[in-house]
Structures are given as C-alpha cells and as structure tokens.
Amino acid sequence: MDAEIIEFPEQGRDNRLASAIARLEAILREVERVAADEPIAGIDRLLALMERMGDQLVGLACYLLQEEPKLQAQRAFISLSDKIAETREALEQLEGRKQT
C-alpha cells in the first residue's frame, strides 16, 4: 500500500474542513484501489472503508450543517453502520454454508 502524508493544517474552521476533505479523499482513493485490485476478496475491506467514509462525512456535516440537519446526518450514518453490520453477518453466514 502506498503511504500518503496528509498535512493537518492549523486550527480554524476552514483548515479543519480542508483537513477533513483530504482524509475523505484518501478514503475514496483506497476504495477505488480495493475495488479494482480485490473486488471479491476485498468485500470486508470495502465495508470497513464505507464505515470510515461515513465517519468522515459525519465530521464534515459537523462543520457545514446547522444542528438539526447535522443530527439527521448522524442518524443516517448510524443506520448505514447498522446495514454494514447486517451485511457482514450475512456474508459470514454465506461463507459458513460454503465451507460445510
């Protein structure tokens, strides 16, 4: 895996926003790489990346949105995390059936 150096700017709303966007872009590049290089074997990795991406998007929502829309974004990504957990469980069950 290629190492990336992400500079964390000085404190301040604009700088924190730029830093959060840079972290999100790094996750997106990793998703593209995993999807291209390991489409089947990388499903669990892609699910983990989706969770990280959701966390970063919630972080961005905190910088950009007012309180109510921010809470809606948090609830949406909690729901996404629940769906990812359900997907993992389903994949584990499928893998268990294939091995028997």
Side-chain angles (χ1 to χ4, degrees):
M1 175 186 336
D2 295 334
E4 290 188 57
I5 297 174
I6 299 174
E7 291 184 28
F8 292 96
E10 299 173 17
Q11 297 292 24
R13 183 177 183 270
D14 291 339
N15 292 333
R16 289 190 311 259
L17 181 59
S19 179
I21 291 171
R23 287 191 302 271
L24 185 59
E25 288 172 342
I27 293 169
L28 290 173
R29 285 190 298 274
E30 191 172 353
V31 166
E32 289 171 346
R33 184 194 56 76
V34 170
D37 296 346
E38 320 165 31
I40 301 299
I43 289 175
D44 189 55
R45 182 80 179 122
L46 287 172
L47 291 172
L49 288 167
M50 286 174 63
E51 287 178 317
R52 285 181 42 210
M53 190 181 311
D55 290 342
Q56 288 300 315
L57 290 170
V58 168
L60 284 171
C62 290
Y63 295 129
L64 299 173
L65 301 175
Q66 299 298 320
E67 194 60 33
E68 184 56 34
K70 180 174 37 176
L71 292 173
Q72 290 174 350
Q74 289 172 329
R75 286 191 295 268
F77 286 109
I78 289 170
S79 176
L80 174 63
S81 291
D82 292 344
K83 295 295 182 191
I84 290 170
E86 290 174 17
T87 302
R88 278 198 176 111
E89 289 175 15
L91 289 172
E92 288 172 4
Q93 289 176 356
L94 287 173
E95 289 173 0
R97 289 183 188 158
K98 287 181 183 178
Q99 293 175 357
T100 58

